[in-house]
Amino acid sequence: MEKRYISKDPLSESSQFVRGVGPARQVLLSRLGIGTVEDLLLHVPRKYYDRGDLITISKVAPGKLSTFVATVLAASPRRLRGGRSMMTVVVGDETGTVNLVFFNQPYLEKQFKSGVRVLVSGEPVLYKGARQLVSPEHEIISGDLNRSLLDTGRIVPVYPLTSGISQRMMRKVISAALEKSSNSIRENLPSGLLEREGFIGRREALCQIHHPKSWDDLERARARLKFEEVFFLHLLLKERRCGFTRERRRPKVEPPYGMFERFLGSLPFTLTAAQMRVIGEIRADLEDSRGLNRLLQGDVGSGKTIVGLAAMLMTVESGFQAALMVPTEILAQQHYQRTQRYLEGFGLRVELLIGSNPKQEKASVQKGLGDGSVDIVIGTHALIQEGISFKQLGIAVIDEQHRFGVRQRATLGSGDVLPHFLVMTATPIPRSLAQIVYGDLELSLIDELPTGKRSVTTEIVSRDEVESVYQTVREAFSRGRQAFVLYPLVEESERSDLLAATQEFERLQREELSGFPIGLLHGRMSFEEKSKAIGLFREGKILGLVTTTVIEVGVDVPNASILVINNPERFGLAQLHQLRGRVGRGGDPGRCFLVTGEESGTRSRSRLAYFARVSDGFKVAEEDLRMRGPGEIWGVRQSGYPVFRLINPLSDNDIVQRSWSETDRLLKTDPGLENRENRVVSDYFRRYYKTKLELAEIG
Ligand code: ADP
Ligand code: MG
């Protein structure tokens, strides 16, 4: 056999061998996700300084972004109450002095030795008549300025760092990486696409993103690299979808749907047009050989459950089993009871499977799943635990997808038959983000509420005015209405928060709500205690439920009309919206009170004000996304998807759409990526996305 010389691709070499790195720094770099030379090249600046913008201190003016070089004159750290600390650093140049202020960063004291030169960038404010910059961007300059900025040109990159790696060091290392390997950077997009989009080449883009000659050049580099980022992610997601359906058969679902018709007829209401439309979309998928892989979005209370049940029934009457998986035991029980009621007399075996079922019961359900005698099972993640196997699972409906990863979805299947998937979420995801995060799912939307526009008014109240809120609650109680009073529980292990709910319960019983029957519900209670509390509340035996976020997902008590949320600043807006959906489900309009604590800053105030003003869940979710960044929400990060370097799914919606159609076009004309001009794509895809592919599968 011919012996081929395999030249190692310099870009996939370890970054450890780049000049200035070495084994010790490599350990630090890997904390930033940098393992190879290419990772270094893709470690893009988070911002840039323009040297042309450097000013003297005399020109530093309040409210104006100011970048200047100055010398440290004095640094004075100070202890504040409550263990907080503050440091004032006086810096100056030949034209004057200005103060820099830092809170709770005592380690900075070591950096700001007097005489040290520092590059500062930030927006000054006036404080007691003096100019000061609070927590400005800063960079210690060692040696002369040009050397420190590495002669990067007029526009100087500023990188994301990790402790132990200075800005200067990062600039040096990335410059060295570029020097060493820029000649080996190869194109990874087809030439036709480059032409259509007017993109610059990859090598040029990677050089310019670090050392742009002008702001226009930088823009071109960013546009090209953003596109590349989302393009390969889309390919990955679509490839996975093809892989799924190519290798595994889907359960064959076909009419007649007698049970489904009977079910619709027996409902005490008629479905909304949106519900009917989505059921139609689902049915078309079920009957198609490619099967159902759908994400159903619909605001809280839009009636997703019925739609899910409809899909399950159609599949069951074609001879398969159906599973509904939900995130909490309470919710599982609620769905189970309701489903049993709906399907009474249908001759179907419907079962509940949750972790706290007695052993014997569990075993019997387990057996029924295995021998096919259970038609419909409703449960929690207990459904995907070891030892559970279905005879013929035809469909898995997953409620509130954001609690489940991709892997869990995959484990529901078995053998060469892949069940149909319907995932339902009330956290609306802007289309562009959905295409990134759930690129393997089609999207459906229920954009209509059954009872018309449900009104929940949201009011912000400060802690000192809370008495007026309880006045309202008491009035509602006297009219037989019910209320939730909610306390934050960020982490189940956060004992202090849990105590808050428990203590507050006792206090409310003694004080504000004394004389009224109220109950307590939180995540640390046993399942029996929880369902007892919920049961009493549902039956109206208790009027107030003091609780935590356990009520977030799907607890449905139509008579509850008031929700009091304490410390709302601790929650994301999308989560607050979910919570708000718990009230106003019956006849009475809902009222949601946000009782803000002392710690609430201006940023969180304006966030809550936005939330109080806007009732559209999509708008709220977009704002949430904008404020918190896409990595933070919907468990995107936890589920193993790549964190985005350049793309912002919201503001770059346009790029996401173009990439979506370019990848469609590519896979349609050349599914195996075998054409000559597409080799560059498949080479890159294989090389760099093998790891990511595994990541996404593991999810
Ligand atoms: P969600 O989309 O939040 O999961 P659910 O499926 O729990 O909403 O439905 C909320 C409530 O609305 C339930 O009590 C359900 O029975 C009721 N519902 C669903 N569809 C309709 C409809 N078309 N007309 C009236 N009520 C409906
Ligand atoms: Mg629901």
Side-chain angles (χ1 to χ4, degrees):
M1 218 174 81
E2 187 195 357
K3 215 176 180 182
R4 279 177 58 196
Y5 175 66
I6 309 211
S7 70
K8 186 133 173 47
D9 171 17
L11 294 194
S12 23
E13 263 176 42
S14 164
S15 45
Q16 176 182 336
F17 304 115
V18 170
R19 182 155 35 84
V21 181
R25 279 190 190 145
Q26 178 54 48
V27 174
L28 302 178
L29 285 180
S30 49
R31 277 199 297 213
L32 293 165
I34 298 172
T36 66
V37 172
E38 174 146 41
D39 293 337
L40 263 181
L41 300 186
L42 288 171
H43 191 65
V44 298
R46 67 185 163 79
K47 61 175 266 182
Y48 301 81
Y49 293 133
D50 190 336
R51 288 202 213 203
D53 289 344
L54 284 184
I55 57 177
T56 56
I57 287 183
S58 62
K59 299 258 168 58
V60 169
K64 200 181 100 196
L65 178 68
S66 307
T67 307
F68 55 89
V69 174
T71 304
V72 173
L73 302 175
S76 43
R78 197 147 63 83
R79 295 226 140 273
L80 301 178
R81 260 176 305 165
R84 287 155 50 87
S85 73
M86 171 183 157
M87 182 167 63
T88 307
V89 181
V90 185
V91 300
D93 65 7
E94 57 283 2
T95 69
T97 66
V98 69
N99 292 345
L100 318 180
V101 178
F102 299 91
F103 291 98
N104 302 321
Q105 291 169 279
Y107 50 88
L108 287 179
E109 195 186 341
K110 271 189 272 157
Q111 289 186 18
F112 289 111
K113 296 246 163 59
S114 74
V116 160
R117 297 222 303 152
V118 59
L119 176 76
V120 180
S121 183
E123 230 178 71
V125 291
L126 270 187
Y127 181 73
K128 294 188 176 162
R131 295 170 303 171
Q132 72 174 30
L133 289 93
V134 180
S135 308
E137 300 255 355
H138 62 278
E139 190 177 326
I140 305 297
I141 297 169
S142 38
D144 81 274
L145 180 65
N146 285 336
R147 254 199 57 209
S148 193
L149 301 182
L150 294 177
D151 289 319
T152 39
R154 185 168 67 89
I155 302 172
V156 183
V158 180
Y159 293 101
L161 301 174
T162 183
S163 72
I165 301 229
S166 70
Q167 198 54 255
R168 173 153 188 259
M169 207 183 289
M170 187 62 94
R171 281 190 198 121
K172 246 172 136 166
V173 165
I174 289 179
S175 285
L178 273 172
E179 216 171 280
K180 173 178 162 153
S181 55
S182 67
N183 284 333
S184 320
I185 299 174
R186 264 172 289 155
E187 188 48 63
N188 61 8
L189 295 176
S191 54
L193 190 159
L194 290 180
E195 254 164 63
R196 271 196 301 282
E197 294 283 338
F199 283 144
I200 60 173
R202 185 160 203 256
R203 180 182 312 161
E204 195 185 343
L206 283 175
C207 291
Q208 298 274 358
I209 195 94
H210 296 288
H211 303 146
K213 295 204 176 57
S214 69
W215 293 106
D216 284 347
D217 282 351
L218 176 61
E219 222 17 76
R220 275 189 286 277
R222 286 175 61 87
R224 142 86 212 208
L225 292 174
K226 274 183 185 178
F227 188 90
E228 173 185 315
E229 182 173 26
V230 65
F231 181 85
F232 282 96
L233 185 54
H234 279 161
L235 273 187
L236 172 72
L237 293 166
K238 290 178 181 182
E239 164 64 25
R240 199 175 73 202
R241 171 163 62 186
C242 292
F244 265 172
T245 38
R246 218 185 294 124
E247 287 149 31
R248 298 169 80 180
R249 285 178 299 115
R250 308 307 291 268
K252 195 166 167 49
V253 174
E254 56 192 355
Y257 301 119
M259 284 190 190
F260 164 69
E261 303 287 348
R262 192 173 146 202
F263 167 69
L264 289 194
S266 70
L267 289 174
F269 43 74
T270 50
L271 295 186
T272 62
Q275 284 171 316
M276 288 305 287
R277 190 192 67 239
V278 172
I279 289 176
E281 290 166 354
I282 289 171
R283 177 177 164 175
D285 286 354
L286 287 173
E287 293 173 2
D288 188 280
S289 62
R290 276 170 316 174
L292 172 73
N293 299 297
R294 206 167 264 279
L295 174 68
L296 170 54
Q297 301 186 31
D299 210 343
V300 181
S302 59
K304 295 182 291 294
T305 316
I306 301 289
V307 172
L309 279 180
M312 290 163 75
L313 267 183
M314 287 189 256
T315 312
V316 165
E317 52 185 321
S318 293
F320 300 94
Q321 294 166 291
L324 172 63
M325 182 153 83
V326 303
T328 68
E329 299 200 333
I330 302 260
L331 194 53
Q333 198 186 37
Q334 183 177 295
H335 281 323
Y336 170 67
Q337 287 164 349
R338 201 169 287 168
T339 306
Q340 264 191 326
R341 226 183 311 130
Y342 283 142
L343 301 182
E344 222 181 305
F346 276 57
L348 295 176
R349 181 169 168 205
V350 182
E351 293 285 359
L352 176 71
L353 187 72
I354 54 181
S356 51
N357 271 357
K359 258 213 181 80
Q360 266 181 328
E361 233 170 83
K362 248 190 280 190
S364 135
V365 175
Q366 213 162 320
K367 182 165 167 293
L369 293 174
D371 65 22
S373 62
V374 171
D375 300 295
I376 293 181
V377 65
I378 296 172
T380 55
H381 56 273
L383 281 176
I384 53 171
Q385 234 107 76
E386 202 92 23
I388 304 287
S389 69
F390 290 84
K391 179 144 187 270
Q392 266 200 314
L393 182 61
I395 185 171
V397 177
I398 298 173
D399 199 7
E400 308 302 350
Q401 157 73 10
H402 57 290
R403 303 291 165 99
F404 290 102
V406 179
R407 181 177 47 144
Q408 279 122 321
R409 233 200 295 152
T411 37
L412 270 175
S414 59
D416 67 338
V417 176
L418 181 72
H420 297 288
F421 280 119
L422 178 66
V423 288
M424 313 194 291
T425 177
T427 307
I429 301 171
R431 189 171 193 89
S432 51
L433 184 69
Q435 282 179 345
I436 289 181
V437 178
Y438 299 116
D440 64 326
L441 301 177
E442 308 286 338
L443 290 182
S444 281
L445 177 66
I446 304 187
D447 49 6
E448 187 182 347
L449 294 176
T451 47
K453 201 119 192 74
R454 190 183 48 234
S455 64
V456 178
T457 49
T458 303
E459 295 155 62
I460 303 177
V461 183
S462 80
R463 181 147 297 295
D464 343 326
E465 304 161 324
V466 77
E467 174 46 32
S468 69
V469 173
Y470 287 112
Q471 179 62 29
T472 312
V473 172
R474 286 190 298 264
E475 277 164 22
F477 281 177
S478 350
R479 283 183 292 109
R481 293 300 178 190
Q482 292 171 287
F484 296 104
V485 182
L486 188 128
Y487 294 87
L489 184 102
V490 176
E491 208 77 85
E492 289 236 335
S493 61
E494 274 200 25
R495 219 184 156 70
S496 56
D497 283 334
L498 182 57
L499 283 179
T502 320
Q503 284 169 341
E504 284 297 300
F505 167 67
E506 284 166 7
R507 202 183 52 75
L508 288 170
Q509 246 180 343
R510 277 195 317 268
E511 296 170 19
E512 282 95 337
L513 302 179
S514 80
F516 293 101
I518 63 174
L520 178 67
L521 173 72
H522 63 67
R524 292 244 181 126
M525 290 164 46
S526 72
F527 177 66
E528 279 72 34
E529 291 172 316
K530 277 190 236 169
S531 36
K532 187 165 162 241
I534 283 263
L536 287 173
F537 190 64
R538 187 169 287 135
E539 292 157 23
K541 298 216 171 86
I542 52 180
L543 294 174
L545 199 58
V546 177
T547 182
T548 62
T549 49
V550 282
I551 64 150
E552 176 190 344
V553 216
V555 172
D556 187 18
V557 178
N559 192 43
S561 61
I562 296 184
L563 169 67
V564 182
I565 302 178
N566 291 282
N567 294 106
E569 51 284 297
R570 303 271 309 256
F571 303 104
L573 293 189
Q575 192 179 18
L576 285 175
H577 186 71
Q578 285 263 357
L579 290 167
R580 172 163 75 175
R582 299 302 122 224
V583 292
R585 302 191 137 212
D588 260 23
R591 292 183 77 177
C592 170
F593 295 98
L594 306 176
V595 183
T596 59
E598 286 166 20
E599 62 191 70
S600 157
T602 32
R603 203 175 103 99
S604 89
R605 267 172 213 280
S606 74
R607 201 170 137 256
L608 293 178
Y610 179 87
F611 175 74
R613 212 166 52 238
V614 175
S615 60
D616 179 334
F618 264 88
K619 292 219 177 88
V620 168
E622 288 205 7
E623 182 68 11
D624 204 26
L625 176 61
R626 209 175 57 71
M627 302 204 63
R628 304 210 291 164
E632 295 293 320
I633 22 185
W634 300 304
V636 174
R637 186 167 291 152
Q638 298 92 303
S639 63
Y641 284 95
V643 177
F644 312 116
R645 295 177 213 269
L646 285 162
I647 202 91
N648 175 334
L650 264 196
S651 49
D652 297 322
N653 176 42
D654 180 47
I655 296 177
V656 177
Q657 299 304 325
R658 268 155 40 216
S659 162
W660 190 257
S661 50
E662 284 289 354
T663 43
D664 264 355
R665 176 209 285 252
L666 183 66
L667 291 174
K668 207 165 281 166
T669 54
D670 183 14
L673 301 180
E674 283 154 350
N675 294 353
R676 207 176 159 62
E677 94 145 10
N678 296 333
R679 292 264 172 80
V680 290
V681 177
S682 53
D683 281 353
Y684 186 84
F685 190 64
R686 255 200 308 272
R687 245 174 52 228
Y688 293 99
Y689 272 74
K690 180 125 195 347
T691 48
K692 300 256 163 63
L693 188 65
E694 281 155 9
L695 253 185
E697 296 284 15
I698 293 162

